[in-house]
Amino acid sequence: MELHLVRDFGAGDIEAIEVSPAVLEIEVEPRMVDEADRILMMHSVPGRFVYAAGRYPGQLRVEIGESSDLDRIGEALLAITELPGSTPPSYAVRDLIADLYRRREDALERKEADTIEDEIALELYDDEDW
């Protein structure tokens, strides 16, 4: 199995309520895709994430949103690493999940700061209380 972050979390613009989701690409041997699909399906609903087949056999894409459970995604990835032919060790998955937590928090902070700056620029704050 190979893991690639193909799109990072994004702050978007003032009209977007949430940060834009990150996309994680998972590549497994084509013969293992059904089992990887089963694992992702079991974790997707409680983990609040969406996944789909990628561009070619053996590729799956996981969309990780602002409210996605990164621990549940980590559990799914660890289960996939246990499939025959998987290469990343468990610490690599744990490092990836820790990095995703950090990236999402950074995007949330950027979003909050950008929203405040946009509101100030649009003069949405009233000076009456000062």
Side-chain angles (χ1 to χ4, degrees):
M1 174 176 80
E2 291 186 32
L3 300 168
H4 306 281
L5 187 63
V6 294
R7 186 176 70 210
D8 203 354
F9 296 101
D13 58 21
I14 191 171
E15 295 174 2
I17 295 171
E18 293 188 348
V19 298
S20 61
V23 176
L24 180 65
E25 190 174 84
I26 304 168
E27 293 181 36
V28 296
E29 291 183 29
R31 64 184 173 84
M32 303 310 289
V33 77
D34 289 339
E35 187 63 22
D37 181 71
R38 184 190 66 75
I39 291 168
L40 289 171
M41 181 177 58
M42 287 183 355
H43 288 83
S44 65
V45 173
R48 299 180 305 277
F49 66 89
V50 178
Y51 75 97
R55 296 180 192 165
Y56 58 88
Q59 185 182 66
L60 298 160
R61 287 181 162 229
V62 175
E63 188 173 287
I64 306 166
E66 182 177 318
S67 63
S68 295
D69 184 345
L70 288 170
D71 291 328
R72 184 65 80 148
I73 293 169
E75 290 172 15
L77 295 176
L78 287 171
I80 293 171
T81 62
E82 294 173 0
L83 297 174
S86 292
T87 53
S90 59
Y91 70 82
V93 172
R94 286 194 282 288
D95 288 349
L96 172 66
I97 296 301
D99 186 47
L100 287 171
Y101 268 112
R102 184 190 54 75
R103 289 171 179 270
R104 183 167 64 183
E105 189 60 35
D106 289 348
L108 289 168
E109 288 173 5
R110 275 194 322 272
K111 175 70 175 160
E112 184 176 333
D114 290 350
T115 299
I116 290 170
E117 288 174 5
D118 289 343
E119 289 172 350
I120 290 170
L122 293 171
E123 298 177 354
L124 295 179
Y125 292 108
D126 199 1
D127 290 341
E128 294 176 14
D129 296 335
W130 297 100

